[in-house]
Each structure stands twice: as structure tokens, then as C-alpha cells.
Amino acid sequence: MSAETFRIGFLPLVDAALPILAQELGFAAAEGVTIELVRDVTWATVRDRLLYGHTDAAHLVAPLAIATTLGRDRPAVPLTVPFVLGLNGNAITFSTALGEACGLGDTLGDPAAIGAALREVAAERRAAGRPLRFGVVHRYSSHNYMLRYWLAGIGIRPDEELTITVTSPPFAADALAAGEVDGICVGEPWNSIAVDRGVGRIALATAQIWRRGVEKVLALRADTAAARPAAVAALIRALHAAAEHFVRPETAADSATLLARREYLDAPVDAILRAITDRIRLVPGGTPVHYPDFMFQHREAANFPWRSQAAWLYSQMVRWDGPAFSEEDAATAQSVFRPDLYRTALAGSNAPLPNASSKLEGALHEPIGAGSTQGRLMLGSDRFFDGRAFDPEDVAGYLARLP
């Protein structure tokens, strides 16, 4: 295998688009890189293939890269994240019965109002000895932390007042249909497939919980990244070019058709196209509604690995899993995200490069210009639904103020 070949593990999700498009449309070849894609159905398998050398890189849920580096649930193996594959793109989908009980309609509702209705149903179910059960894609996933952040913010205590379990994305709609879970938090197209099958109703987009929340990343073993710097830089450039192509409206239909192929998502073209174009069908048979930036790639340096995003994910790891906050662990978590590798790879290109590596998360309610070492950078709203902001320099204080 040549030094320019990367075997990349992925799950069948719309936000696996960039490595797929990079290989299929020639962006990788233009950088002297060959991508071999390895499809799996669970994040644990994607991670294990990476750790044991069966793949060179992975499309991975961001918190799992941090947890693996910190040695949560297994011996520590340092991972490196030089590129973010996308922001948001997930949804919380209720079973049809739960959706009806909470009064879900054919428009995206307010997180607080939906939360109030869910709180009543959750109390009724606990009293009846049948507590609500939600499925997420991995214990160390943004899906888990987004769902928990929302639940805690609306007054529902995860693990005490309802149960959260793990279900693989391709089987999430099946879990709803079988009645094994009452709700799921999963990436597209699996929410849309649950709705189209008539077994679910979309309650919220995760972009309503944390606008611009970090989602999937490109992850490599740290020793691989250190040993192959030129090849990793070429891969970053190929993914960046694929992202630029992917967000053009005129390419959406072709991208959806390509991603739908059996070896990739093996899913309906229309469900994929809706996700790419920020249109969400909330109820079976309903007209898709437009929610801007439902899934967010490329613009506003969306692929830049902000260390503050890693710090927020670490804060949620401490909040829900323990052990107690550690300055050393916080620094290690942030070191997984490598903005320096991103800058090196894209220096001299047309990519805007932030001059900071960390920022206040959730502090922007309106678009604003940001400092850059290259190009003109605008950052849009990144607010949390409860109006809180996260300062990566004060993780302990932030945790102390959370409900």
C-alpha cells in the first residue's frame, strides 16, 4: 500500500459525504491520494478498525475520539482530529405514539415547549412503571450529549427519569418500529427513514439545541498523523475541496444519488437529498419544512477543528460520566483537535483560516466578522437553546453552573 493511500472507515450517514465525494469525484486524486472506503454499522467497530490498523483514518463521532485518547472504557490510544466533517445534521425523533402524546405538529417546535410536554409524559410513564427509553448512537457521541443537554435543560434528569440506551444508526428506525425505544437521536437519513416508514415524528433538529454543534470528524491515530504529515495534509485539502463542492446547490441532486448507492448509504435518494438541502419531513406524509443550516459544512470555516469544541465535549463527558474535572484531562481532550494541521494543509489556498484556535461557544447570536490569518471569515449564530455560553478557559465554573 502506497504512502498516499488512506483506508477510511465510515458509517452510512449523510455526513460521511466528504471522503466519499473526495474519492468518487477526483478531489483525492488531484492531491495524489487514493481513498479506500470501509463501511461499518457501529461506531465501536469503526473505532476498533482504526485502533488495530485495519484502517488509516475514520469518519467518527467527535466525542469518541476524545474518549479513546483519554482511555475511557478501554486502554488509551491517542487520536488526532485535523478536520471536522460537519456540524449538526442530527435530529431527535419520537415514536408516533410519543409524538402524538406530546402534541407534535408539522412544524419544528420550540425546544422548551416540546420539553414541557415531554416532561408530563415522562412523569406519567414513570408512574406507570414504564419509563421512557431513548436511543443514541454511542455512549461517547454528540447525539448522547445533545440529547442529555436538552433533557437536563428542560427539567428531565437523564438516567433517573428516563433511560438512554445505544442503538446503531442504520437500525434506529427498526428500534422505534419494534417499540424498543420511544425516541432516537441519530444522524440523517435515519430520522427521515423513520418518518417515511410511519414509525416516527421528528421533534427537534439538534441545531436547535446547539447551533453549529460539532458532529463527525476525521480521526487518525496520532502516530499515523505524525508519521505521514504530507499525506495527511493532502487528504485535508481533498476533503476541503469536496466540502466546497458539496455545499453548492447545483450539486445536491448528484451528491444524493451518489451517496444513495448500495456500497455507501444504501438509502432512498429523496431522504438523503432532503438532508443535504435542509428540508425535513417531520410527520409521515407531511410536506418537508425548510430549516436553514440543519446540516452545516464548509461555510464559516465549518471544517476547522476548534479546540473549544473539544473542550465542550469534554465538559459533557465529565458531567454525565465522571470522573471529576481534571485540568490535565481537559488539556488532553483539547489537544486531540489539531487546528495547526488544518492551517498547514490549507495555507496558500482560498480557505479562510481563523487566527485563534479556541473561542467562546454559544456566544454569537448574530453573524460577526472574525480574525483570520488568511481570507475573510464570518461566523454565524452558534447559540445554545438555553442561552448559556461556554468558556473553554473555565470548564469547572461552567460545570458548576449547569442544572
Side-chain angles (χ1 to χ4, degrees):
M1 185 177 293
S2 73
E4 291 75 31
T5 296
F6 284 91
R7 285 172 57 82
I8 300 181
F10 76 99
L11 252 55
L13 293 155
V14 178
D15 56 22
L18 302 190
I20 294 170
L21 296 180
Q23 178 59 25
E24 289 283 351
L25 301 182
F27 299 114
E31 294 292 342
V33 171
T34 297
I35 295 175
E36 297 176 1
L37 290 147
V38 181
R39 187 179 190 268
D40 269 310
V41 294
T42 72
W43 290 118
T45 309
V46 171
R47 186 220 25 217
D48 288 350
R49 284 192 198 274
L50 179 64
L51 297 188
Y52 300 131
H54 295 267
T55 54
D56 305 295
H59 158 246
L60 198 66
V61 277
L64 187 51
I66 295 167
T68 302
T69 300
L70 289 173
R72 302 293 178 98
D73 281 352
R74 53 153 294 115
V77 178
L79 298 186
T80 288
V81 169
F83 190 92
V84 172
L85 293 170
L87 307 177
N88 296 132
N90 302 327
I92 297 173
T93 299
F94 292 175
S95 68
T96 51
L98 180 59
E100 289 170 3
C102 292
L104 295 185
D106 55 3
T107 59
L108 276 174
D110 172 69
I114 294 173
L118 180 65
R119 196 165 59 242
E120 290 186 15
V121 176
E124 292 169 2
R125 287 285 297 268
R126 284 199 316 280
R130 296 181 297 111
L132 290 174
R133 186 177 175 90
F134 276 73
V136 298
V137 302
H138 195 278
R139 176 182 178 185
Y140 296 117
S141 68
S142 49
H143 314 67
N144 186 29
Y145 295 144
M146 289 277 205
L147 176 64
R148 287 171 179 273
Y149 188 90
W150 174 59
L151 291 172
I154 60 175
I156 296 176
R157 290 173 292 181
D159 305 321
E160 296 181 34
E161 296 177 302
L162 55 71
T163 301
I164 297 177
T165 188
V166 172
T167 183
S168 175
F171 304 134
D174 297 315
L176 272 181
E180 294 174 3
V181 293
D182 301 287
I184 53 176
C185 183
V186 67
E188 283 293 85
W190 303 107
N191 300 284
S192 292
I193 286 173
V195 172
D196 291 346
R197 284 178 55 182
V199 300
R201 296 187 175 193
I202 292 177
L204 294 171
T206 54
Q208 294 175 273
I209 299 170
W210 181 17
R211 195 88 169 180
R212 307 288 193 271
V214 63
E215 198 21 67
K216 309 303 187 306
V217 298
L218 176 76
L220 307 91
R221 285 181 55 129
D223 52 6
T224 299
R228 302 175 62 185
V232 170
L235 177 60
I236 291 170
R237 289 192 294 271
L239 294 173
H240 188 268
E244 189 173 26
H245 174 90
F246 185 56
V247 300
R248 295 176 190 163
E250 67 271 18
T251 69
D254 288 343
S255 292
T257 299
L258 195 162
L259 294 173
R261 282 165 32 182
R262 182 179 296 275
E263 66 266 37
Y264 296 135
L265 274 61
D266 192 19
V269 173
D270 183 60
I272 297 168
L273 182 60
R274 292 200 303 267
I276 293 174
T277 54
D278 294 333
R279 294 178 301 122
I280 316 168
R281 177 174 288 141
L282 303 175
V283 297
T287 300
V289 301
H290 181 241
Y291 184 77
D293 303 339
F294 166 73
M295 191 172 76
F296 199 77
Q297 271 115 343
H298 185 65
R299 292 187 293 111
E300 300 176 16
N303 307 117
F304 185 78
W306 292 97
R307 288 164 60 89
S308 46
Q309 294 172 338
W312 186 83
L313 294 173
Y314 169 70
S315 78
Q316 301 307 297
M317 207 171 287
V318 171
R319 184 183 189 188
W320 300 113
D321 294 332
F325 170 76
S326 155
E327 291 283 2
E328 182 180 358
D329 283 353
T332 299
Q334 293 186 60
S335 73
V336 173
F337 278 35
R338 293 292 301 276
D340 57 318
L341 298 184
Y342 183 95
R343 290 192 188 96
T344 298
L346 294 170
S349 71
N350 63 354
L353 298 178
N355 60 14
S357 296
S358 197
K359 58 184 172 67
L360 281 176
E361 298 290 344
L364 298 180
H365 291 205
E366 300 291 338
I368 191 172
S372 60
T373 57
Q374 174 180 288
R376 183 169 181 267
L377 179 61
M378 293 290 295
L379 297 177
S381 171
D382 68 345
R383 69 185 303 274
F384 290 90
F385 86 97
D386 56 6
R388 296 178 185 273
F390 170 72
D391 182 355
E393 300 298 321
D394 184 25
V395 178
Y398 172 78
L399 286 167
R401 291 187 293 273
L402 290 175

